[in-house]
Amino acid sequence: MKKLLLLACWIWMLPLFAQNNIQIRHLNGKKIDSRILEQRLAQLVDSAKIAGLQVAIINNNKVVYSASFGFKDIENKNKLNDSTVMYAASLTKPVSAYIFLRLVDKGIFSLDQPVYTYLKKPIGEYAKWKDLAGDTASFNLITPRMLLSHSSGLPVLRQLYDNKVNLIAKPGEKFYYSNEGINLLGFMMEEFTGKKLEVIAKEEVFGPLQMSHTGMIWEKAFENNFSYAYFKDGKKYGSERRESSRAAGSMSTTANDYAQFMINLMKEKGLSGSSYHQMFQSQIMVKSKRGFGPLKDSITNENDAVKLAWGLGVGLFSSPFGKAFFHTGHGDANQNYVVAFPKMGTAVIIFSNSENFEQINAQILKLCIGDTYSPLRWLGHLDRPSEENSVNKRVEGQINVQQIIQKSTSENLP
């Protein structure tokens, strides 16, 4: 009888042991034991002084591993967990693109109809966009396709241009990563539909995909489990609590919730075949040495081999494992990254509440899915500290941090 009880207990415990011993497949087919992965990730987080990290790994279009490391509140020693709400920063942009394409499929918008035709007033009559009245002929050429592919000619952030928004390139001619452009798209969606972006997002994305820990604006429910963010030196930045939607970067979420969105994209669900074709098709090639900072104006061919480009709301590159899509999320002290290889059914979602994440992103990607193909040099993740400070300093670092903390409705960071 005793042996039977022990056997029954062993059978009951078997799924638990299996759950703790998952074999995670890398892109090249090799596998890593989840216990080894967890140990090495914990070591990386500790050695790089990352405050906290959330990771979700997708194999065969399913989440096979998720874990959290470090703290959501260092001062009170409160550990980060998989349900802790993190600031998504620019990982909001792919979601905004998906929302817009949903509305395109419903016949509400067109990718190639000029933006001005959806607005109730001339662009110069909106206080936020009044500077664009100086060249209405050029502005009137801008389409949603250009905004989504960062080829509208709008700047990344008005704070870098004396708080003015003027075109820095002719519409449709050059890639310039632009928060202003994506925020204009969000404004256009709100005005034309008569709905707040946070409402549209719940209807079109968060509800259908059961992303219960996600919102375009800060929600009261997030107070129960949220993360503070920390600078390189360990000083507390605070927490992002956006009170109004910004299509470029107001979203709060978790790695597990965002994984559901990524799986949706990888399986090409929720949009028409035509919209997905447009989303993952190169809209404009990326020829700049860096995505941000002074080197954004330096032309290079070093990314031609991987066909670095922008689709609609996502970056694109080619790899030995097929076309991949990616995006970064970079706030003052929140740094995130996602990349997916749809042909392989493989992706990784990484959220951090630390300014120290990007310097070891390459190691984390290689460890999680064997990714050595993401364009991290173009993103500035491989730059040495001296290069980062003097040559390729991230644009968001040039903005007064306290102003952003105090003003929750400020422009969003890349």
Side-chain angles (χ1 to χ4, degrees):
M1 184 66 181
K2 188 176 180 180
K3 289 182 178 179
L4 287 173
L5 286 173
L6 287 172
L7 179 61
C9 183
W10 182 83
I11 292 172
W12 180 78
M13 292 290 290
L14 189 59
L16 298 179
F17 288 126
Q19 185 178 0
N20 293 325
N21 186 25
I22 301 165
Q23 296 296 306
I24 299 164
R25 192 193 71 227
H26 280 188
L27 289 167
N28 62 6
K30 293 182 179 180
K31 294 181 179 179
I32 183 171
D33 187 288
S34 60
R35 293 171 299 183
I36 295 173
L37 172 64
E38 197 148 325
Q39 183 182 33
R40 292 179 181 175
L41 285 174
Q43 290 171 347
L44 279 174
V45 168
D46 184 60
S47 63
K49 297 182 179 180
I50 294 176
L53 192 77
Q54 284 184 347
V55 177
I57 298 175
I58 296 167
N59 279 173
N60 297 320
N61 293 326
K62 294 179 181 178
V63 175
V64 293
Y65 175 83
S66 63
S68 296
F69 305 85
F71 298 92
K72 62 182 179 181
D73 182 351
I74 292 177
E75 290 75 14
N76 292 303
K77 301 300 180 184
N78 292 329
K79 290 190 174 182
L80 194 72
N81 59 57
D82 290 0
S83 297
T84 301
V85 171
M86 311 278 279
Y87 176 51
S90 281
L91 292 188
T92 308
K93 289 180 174 71
V95 174
S96 297
Y98 178 82
I99 291 170
F100 182 78
L101 291 173
R102 291 266 297 174
L103 300 182
V104 168
D105 284 345
K106 292 181 178 183
I108 298 172
F109 292 107
S110 168
L111 279 168
D112 298 309
Q113 185 170 325
V115 169
Y116 82 90
T117 64
Y118 293 111
L119 302 177
K120 294 179 180 178
K121 300 182 293 185
I123 193 66
E125 293 184 23
Y126 297 96
K128 187 174 180 178
W129 308 102
K130 65 181 185 300
D131 301 322
L132 292 169
D135 190 358
T136 53
S138 292
F139 173 78
N140 288 347
L141 298 175
I142 295 175
T143 64
R145 184 187 300 275
M146 295 176 190
L147 297 178
L148 288 168
S149 59
H150 298 291
S151 59
S152 67
L154 287 165
V156 57
L157 286 170
R158 65 186 66 204
Q159 288 96 325
L160 302 179
Y161 296 85
D162 297 322
N163 283 317
K164 295 183 182 296
V165 184
N166 295 302
L167 294 178
I168 58 175
K170 293 181 179 180
E173 288 193 1
K174 190 175 180 181
F175 176 90
Y176 273 118
Y177 187 90
S178 175
N179 284 1
E180 299 294 346
I182 301 297
N183 282 336
L184 176 59
L185 184 84
F187 173 75
M188 181 194 79
M189 284 193 282
E190 287 187 329
E191 181 163 89
F192 193 76
T193 63
K195 292 181 178 181
K196 291 290 186 181
L197 187 58
E198 60 264 30
V199 174
I200 303 173
K202 280 189 176 182
E203 292 175 349
E204 303 294 340
V205 190
F206 308 150
L209 299 184
Q210 299 182 339
M211 297 168 68
S212 58
H213 296 90
T214 304
M216 272 290 183
I217 58 173
W218 188 259
E219 298 180 6
K220 189 175 181 180
F222 297 164
E223 294 287 347
N224 298 324
N225 191 2
F226 69 91
S227 168
Y228 290 107
Y230 295 85
F231 292 114
K232 284 183 181 295
D233 59 5
K235 291 182 180 178
K236 181 184 281 187
Y237 165 80
S239 63
E240 294 282 359
R241 300 169 182 232
R242 300 301 174 98
E243 296 175 355
S244 61
S245 289
R246 292 291 186 273
S250 64
M251 189 174 72
S252 295
T253 187
T254 65
N256 273 333
D257 264 19
Y258 206 87
Q260 298 310 309
F261 174 66
M262 292 288 283
I263 290 170
N264 190 68
L265 296 187
M266 293 165 71
K267 295 173 71 174
E268 298 194 0
K269 300 290 186 181
L271 295 177
S272 67
S274 174
S275 286
Y276 268 118
H277 176 74
Q278 295 292 328
M279 187 178 203
F280 295 138
Q281 182 182 47
S282 171
Q283 302 293 327
I284 188 165
M285 298 303 293
V286 176
K287 295 289 187 177
S288 58
K289 282 191 175 181
R290 295 291 185 276
F292 319 97
L295 292 181
K296 73 181 187 302
D297 292 311
S298 297
I299 303 302
T300 182
N301 293 321
E302 62 188 27
N303 294 310
D304 287 1
V306 297
K307 300 178 181 178
L308 184 62
W310 221 261
L312 298 180
V314 292
L316 305 170
F317 65 90
S318 295
S319 81
F321 305 100
K323 183 181 286 187
F325 66 88
F326 73 99
H327 212 287
T328 184
H330 186 114
D332 277 282
N334 293 88
Q335 297 180 349
N336 317 311
Y337 185 74
V338 300
V339 63
F341 298 80
K343 184 179 178 180
M344 305 300 294
T346 296
V348 63
I349 297 89
I350 311 168
F351 281 77
S352 83
N353 61 344
S354 172
E355 198 179 13
N356 290 323
F357 161 69
E358 290 176 357
Q359 64 187 2
I360 63 162
N361 187 21
Q363 297 174 65
I364 293 175
L365 289 171
K366 185 176 181 179
L367 189 58
C368 288
I369 61 170
D371 172 24
T372 59
Y373 311 99
S374 283
L376 300 186
R377 182 165 299 282
W378 180 79
L379 289 167
H381 293 192
L382 302 182
D383 291 339
R384 297 188 301 274
S386 59
E387 292 176 316
E388 181 181 348
N389 291 332
S390 63
V391 180
N392 193 35
K393 185 171 180 62
R394 301 288 294 214
V395 294
E396 48 272 56
Q398 301 171 28
I399 303 166
N400 187 299
V401 171
Q402 291 303 316
Q403 289 180 351
I404 296 176
I405 295 175
Q406 295 166 4
K407 189 176 180 183
S408 62
T409 57
S410 66
E411 295 302 318
N412 300 292
L413 305 173

